[in-house]
Structures are given as C-alpha cells and as structure tokens.
Amino acid sequence: MGPNSDASERIARIASHLNPMEKNECCSLRVGNCRSKGGASGFKVAILGAAGGIGQSLSMLMKMNPLVSVLHLYDVVNTPGVTADISHMDTAAVVRGFLGQKQLEDALIGMDLVIIPAGVPRKPGMTRDDLFNINAGIVKTLCEAIAKCCPKAIVNLISNPVNSTVPIAAEVFKRAGTYDPNRLLGVTMLDVVRANTFVAEVLGLDPREVDVPVVGGHAGVTILPLLSQVKPPCSFTPKEIVYLTERIQNGGTEVVEAKAGAGSATLSMAYAAVKFADACLRALRGDAGIIECAYVDSKVTELPFFASKVRLGRGGVEEFFPLGPLNDYEREGLEKAKKELAVSVEKGISFARK
C-alpha cells in the first residue's frame, strides 16, 4: 500500500468518527472497526442531547475524562458541528456524532453509561412542572431505545422534571422487561454542588472540603439539605439555616433570573453531571467507597423514588444509606418534600402508563 493509500485510510478513519453512520467510499472502514490508533481502554459513554445548553459543556468535559474511551454524541440537531469541534481536543476518547431519530439506536449500541440532558430548558417564570409535557415525551422515546440497544447500561437522567422523568424511565424499562432499579439514577448532584458552595461561603471554607447531604428530590421544597449532618461538623444559627435551605432550593431559579431569559443553569449542571458520571465510571471500574446522593428507586422512605446517599458499584446502586438523625426543621421539611414528591412521582407513572 502506497503513501496515497495510507493517507486515504487515515482521512477515512477521521471522517468515520465524525459521521459514523455514513459509508465512506475511500475504504472499507465501518463503525465496528473504526477506532483511532492508540485509543485508551475505558468505558463507552453516550450523551443524549449533546448539542444543547447542558449537552455541549457536558460533552466537552466528558471528552476530558480519562476513563472514557468512546464518546457518542446524539441530538436531533447540530450534532455534526459539536462533534467536529470536540473531536479536535487532544484527549484519548474517540468521539462519534449521531444526528436524528434514525441514528438514535446506533448511538446507543454497546454503551456502558448513558447520560440524558435532552429536553427544553427552564425559562423565566417556568417551574419544572411546566417542562413536563415536552420533556416527558422526549425521555420516554430515548428510554425505549436504551431498553432495546443497551439494557445493561447505567443511565444518568438529568432531563427535568427529574422527580417525574425518572419514574417515566422506570415504567418504560419495566414494560420492555429490562428494568434494573439499581442502574437508573436521577442526577441531583447540582443540589449537592450548590449546597457545598453556599455552606462553604458561610463558613469561610474551601467548597471541596465541605460535604452536605441533600435528600428528597430535585425541585423546590423537595430539595432538602441536611445541614445538621454537614462535614466538617459545624453549627448554624436559625437564620443561617433558613437562608441556606431556601437558597439551595431556589438555586435554579437564581440562575434563570440572573440570565434574564438567556438560559438556565447549564454550566454548573454540566459540571455536576460530569462529577456524578465520573463517580459512576469509577464505580464501574471497581473502585471502592463511591458514595453520592442520587434520586433512585428507593425504600429509604415510603415513597417509590427518593434522593439519598447511595454507594455505587459495578452494578449501579449497591447500598442505600438511611437518612440519619434529623432535627425538627429537617423533619418538617421532609414532610413537605414527601407530599410534593408523591404528586410528581405519580404524574410520571401515569404519563408512562397511558
């Protein structure tokens, strides 16, 4: 094979990464054997909604993760441009783009982890329930494809309202006969990230040194930071407790209003999603002691879905931790959270069962 043939082969390989579903006439490369030379061993990750406000930053950050060997980017619009842009980063993960419903299944085949930020963002005046009718249908469609193409994958669900979309996903997987409750995780990490940041501001600490458990759900009063269990141990005045709790619960609204119609919490959400995805990948690798908060199928309370601390392993959730001792303020908040959460869960289940 001459120099020209070698060059054609290399060019075709690059083109196949960017547009893997298109046959390239230069050579016989196919999706199955298309791989960059020296690609790192690791996990295969798909991002559904990769061209959106969260998805683009999320895709860039996942390309930087050394545990990712193959990164599939899917969306209904603009995926080729995002894929081309991110593929220029000199990190090991091989990036492939998938565009539109016809390529959804190909984006999912063989994936170890699927991250779903797909859906419309919040706008000023919108609640997460206002997003329901659009995003519920999107999540249902995506999960039907997951059940068919990668039923053993860990699923990180970001699409709001998470309190309802996770139950929708569960019902879809049940109907397909593929439901493993330990592999479906609603991402509430942004609530934890905000709690760590806001508490650190009050205490004058580095946020990386602070750990605030946040339980319940991922909307308004369902977000319950357990300030009595903050690490390092500390105490707050009643005024500080109210201030911190309400700011953590309304963190998303704070960003929506600050952006004045130009978007929602996309950057911090992408950061939080990558932080949680990295925990899942380290658990898949077999690392011990991976403990995070997540919204999951749970028996921690009487509700079928609830966010609390869980230990992650190769099979997803491997251990649930109890809520621990709560003070009077937290017990009152828990009752408020459960009341609203029950309605959101039922809304999701009812939608999926139509």
Side-chain angles (χ1 to χ4, degrees), residues 146-207:
I146 292 169
K148 180 178 179 181
C149 301
C150 54
K152 298 295 185 183
I154 304 293
V155 177
N156 288 181
L157 187 49
I158 299 168
S159 306
N160 276 317
V162 167
N163 293 353
S164 298
T165 56
V166 170
I168 289 171
E171 290 299 313
V172 170
F173 295 149
K174 286 176 185 177
R175 186 176 300 172
T178 64
Y179 185 48
D180 181 344
N182 297 327
R183 294 178 182 271
L184 173 61
L185 302 101
V187 179
T188 60
M189 179 65 83
L190 181 53
D191 302 321
V192 176
V193 165
R194 285 174 173 149
N196 292 344
T197 300
F198 301 159
V199 167
E201 288 176 358
V202 169
L203 297 177
L205 297 175
D206 185 332

Side-chain angles (χ1 to χ4, degrees), residues 20-353:
M21 305 321 301
E22 296 179 8
K23 181 177 178 180
N24 194 292
E25 296 179 357
C26 297
C27 68
S28 59
L29 282 172
R30 297 291 185 273
V31 174
N33 61 12
C34 171
R35 185 170 179 80
S36 63
K37 292 181 179 179
S41 60
F43 297 101
K44 297 178 180 180
V45 178
I47 298 175
L48 308 184
I54 297 169
Q56 291 196 36
S57 298
L58 172 57
S59 299
M60 180 187 72
L61 292 170
M62 290 305 293
K63 176 73 165 76
M64 298 167 64
N65 191 308
L67 295 179
V68 179
S69 61
V70 174
L71 183 62
H72 282 190
L73 307 182
Y74 169 84
D75 214 319
V76 293
V77 293
N78 301 329
T79 325
V82 175
T83 304
D85 198 355
I86 289 174
S87 72
H88 293 180
M89 296 168 60
D90 59 348
T91 59
V94 176
V95 183
R96 298 171 183 151
F98 300 82
L99 179 65
Q101 185 70 29
K102 291 182 179 180
Q103 295 187 0
L104 174 58
E105 292 186 4
D106 295 293
L108 290 168
I109 293 171
M111 294 295 105
D112 301 302
L113 174 67
V114 180
I115 309 172
I116 310 178
V120 299
R122 287 178 69 194
K123 296 178 181 178
M126 261 191 173
T127 66
R128 284 179 171 82
D129 281 342
D130 292 331
L131 305 176
F132 180 83
N133 288 331
I134 298 174
N135 288 356
I138 293 171
V139 168
K140 184 172 182 286
T141 298
L142 297 176
C143 288
E144 286 169 349
I146 292 169
K148 180 178 179 181
C149 301
C150 54
K152 298 295 185 183
I154 304 293
V155 177
N156 288 181
L157 187 49
I158 299 168
S159 306
N160 276 317
V162 167
N163 293 353
S164 298
T165 56
V166 170
I168 289 171
E171 290 299 313
V172 170
F173 295 149
K174 286 176 185 177
R175 186 176 300 172
T178 64
Y179 185 48
D180 181 344
N182 297 327
R183 294 178 182 271
L184 173 61
L185 302 101
V187 179
T188 60
M189 179 65 83
L190 181 53
D191 302 321
V192 176
V193 165
R194 285 174 173 149
N196 292 344
T197 300
F198 301 159
V199 167
E201 288 176 358
V202 169
L203 297 177
L205 297 175
D206 185 332
R208 294 170 295 181
E209 298 172 357
V210 176
D211 179 25
V212 184
V214 182
V215 303
H218 184 57
V221 297
T222 70
I223 301 167
L224 182 62
L226 301 182
L227 298 175
S228 66
Q229 299 180 27
V230 170
K231 294 180 182 178
C234 58
S235 60
F236 301 98
T237 67
K239 186 176 180 180
E240 287 173 333
I241 291 171
V242 172
Y243 163 77
L244 285 167
T245 300
E246 291 182 353
R247 191 177 179 202
I248 293 162
Q249 290 175 338
N250 297 315
T253 301
E254 181 179 317
V255 175
V256 169
E257 291 177 351
K259 288 189 174 182
S264 58
T266 53
L267 303 176
S268 54
M269 182 66 250
Y271 165 80
V274 168
K275 188 174 183 180
F276 187 75
D278 180 71
C280 291
L281 292 177
R282 286 184 286 117
L284 282 171
R285 184 175 63 181
D287 292 14
I290 308 297
I291 299 172
E292 301 291 352
C293 291
Y295 181 67
V296 293
D297 189 319
S298 170
K299 291 182 173 59
V300 169
T301 70
E302 67 274 18
L303 297 174
F305 295 90
F306 195 82
S308 63
K309 280 199 169 186
V310 297
R311 180 173 58 82
L312 301 173
R314 286 196 169 102
V317 177
E318 295 193 342
E319 183 179 359
F320 298 85
F321 293 93
L323 296 181
L326 307 181
N327 59 32
D328 290 342
Y329 184 83
E330 291 163 349
R331 280 193 290 272
E332 181 181 345
L334 178 61
E335 292 310 308
K336 291 179 182 177
K338 288 195 294 186
K339 185 176 180 180
E340 184 167 316
L341 198 51
V343 175
S344 298
V345 170
E346 181 56 36
K347 188 174 184 179
I349 291 173
S350 298
F351 176 87
R353 289 179 177 176

